[in-house]
Amino acid sequence: MKFSNYPITEEVKRGVEGLGFQKPTDIQFKSIPSILNGEDVLGIAQTGTGKTAAFAIPIVHKVQTQSIKGRKDGVRCLVMVPTRELAQQIQLVFNKIAKYTTVKIYALTGGVDQDPQIHKLNKGVDILITTPGRMFDLIAQGYLSLHRVNTLILDEADRMLDLGFYKDIQDVLKRIPKKRQTLFFSATINPKIKKLAYSLVNNAIRIQISPKDPVSKNVTHFVSLIEMDDKRFFLENIVSQHEGKKIMVFVRTQVRAERVVAAMDRVGINALTIHGGKDQKDRNTALKKFKENEVSLLIATDVTARGVDVPNVELVVNYDLPEIPENYVHRIGRTGRGKAKGNAVSFVAQNELDLLIAIEKFLGKKIPQMELSKREYQTVLDLSNEKSLGDLLDQIEFEEENERNIKNKKRRKKK
Ligand code: ADP
Ligand code: MG
């Protein structure tokens, strides 16, 4: 199958050509016809398999060809996502696909000034991609109405239907017409959330690919038993073995993210953090620098675990294991995207063994373990610049002490 054979407009075909895709991925192959048919879809496919284009291609076609008889334009498709970074990224994909059409696309997110956003909405937007917070602010202020939405898309659907966002979704459902097309996409879904998804649609959902193993087949992953206090030495070691290669590191908390950056800084390794405690400008800068290879080490919390598509991430390091098992799949899915292959390693300390068991239960299989002999383990510690720097400092102190002693002796002799 080629994209040129799909019943989509010539303009959309040209846009897709611009993306440089040769042929549809499995999830695209299976969901594009159903979406073009107006069916509701629950698309579950592994990370990095092109779910964005799977909904964006048919939706741009749909919006482009919809007749809007005599009524004023309004948002017709609403895409809801969990993070601002993801909203921006999806906007870029939509923009490329819609490049030769008049379809207007906009990512509306918080953390920035709202006036330019209001201006943009007033000029007319067809496809709105959004994190819920700012959207509700603008609805409350009367700048945005959703009553013309006929397509609702939840990307990272399980996350969007989970506790934190579910109320927002219900609120949106009250504001949009009952007659609509609803699309859910994610790499992970559990039975409870699946049931919830079913309850939100009128028609039978067309379920697409539902992989047994949610981990992308392009990702080779293993765990390594490493004591909490030694983790920084092992990260340093890995970074030195992957010079110039992009590595994404996930940690449990914002504080730990900053600590890891500080530890890397001590041994002369440059890294940036991205997490919910930073303002949006810094978050964007960090991601941009990482994308553009200005910095090759990015330390992140789970905020960036989902959806973010940075090309050529060579390795994902779980410095800490995630507390939510499915986040394991999303984190390591930041590598091995599209046709690329990737690797992932998780540092597991004694007190994280329970988390490991929970993750393996979720995956339905054991994660291979990289065994290190005592000697190999010790070598990593010995090789650290922090150690040699520490030794150096000890030596300087020792020599200074010696010098002081000699001087004191001389002084005493003089007396
Ligand atoms: P997912 O949402 O499934 O995790 P994305 O939509 O972010 O994946 O796509 C992952 C990567 O695969 C992107 O870099 C994208 O450009 C690439 N990609 C998507 N569809 C195709 C295709 N048909 N052929 C080649 N590459 C593709
Ligand atoms: Mg995605």
Side-chain angles (χ1 to χ4, degrees), residues 53-114:
F55 58 76
I57 293 170
I59 291 306
V60 173
H61 167 87
K62 179 179 171 182
V63 172
Q64 193 199 349
T65 52
Q66 254 166 14
S67 60
I68 329 157
K69 285 181 200 132
R71 58 180 202 196
K72 213 172 155 272
D73 257 1
V75 171
R76 283 177 279 162
C77 171
L78 182 65
V79 186
M80 298 183 68
V81 301
T83 63
R84 297 163 183 172
E85 286 79 6
L86 195 48
Q88 308 289 349
Q89 180 185 301
I90 291 174
Q91 178 187 29
L92 292 180
V93 177
F94 266 106
N95 274 340
K96 284 188 184 158
I97 293 167
K99 188 168 173 191
Y100 304 101
T101 71
T102 54
V103 175
K104 293 192 195 70
I105 293 134
Y106 187 54
L108 176 73
T109 60
V112 291
D113 189 13
Q114 71 167 36

Side-chain angles (χ1 to χ4, degrees), residues 51-52 86 155-156 307 337:
K51 293 187 285 295
T52 318
L86 195 48
D155 192 25
E156 304 298 337
R337 302 184 64 73

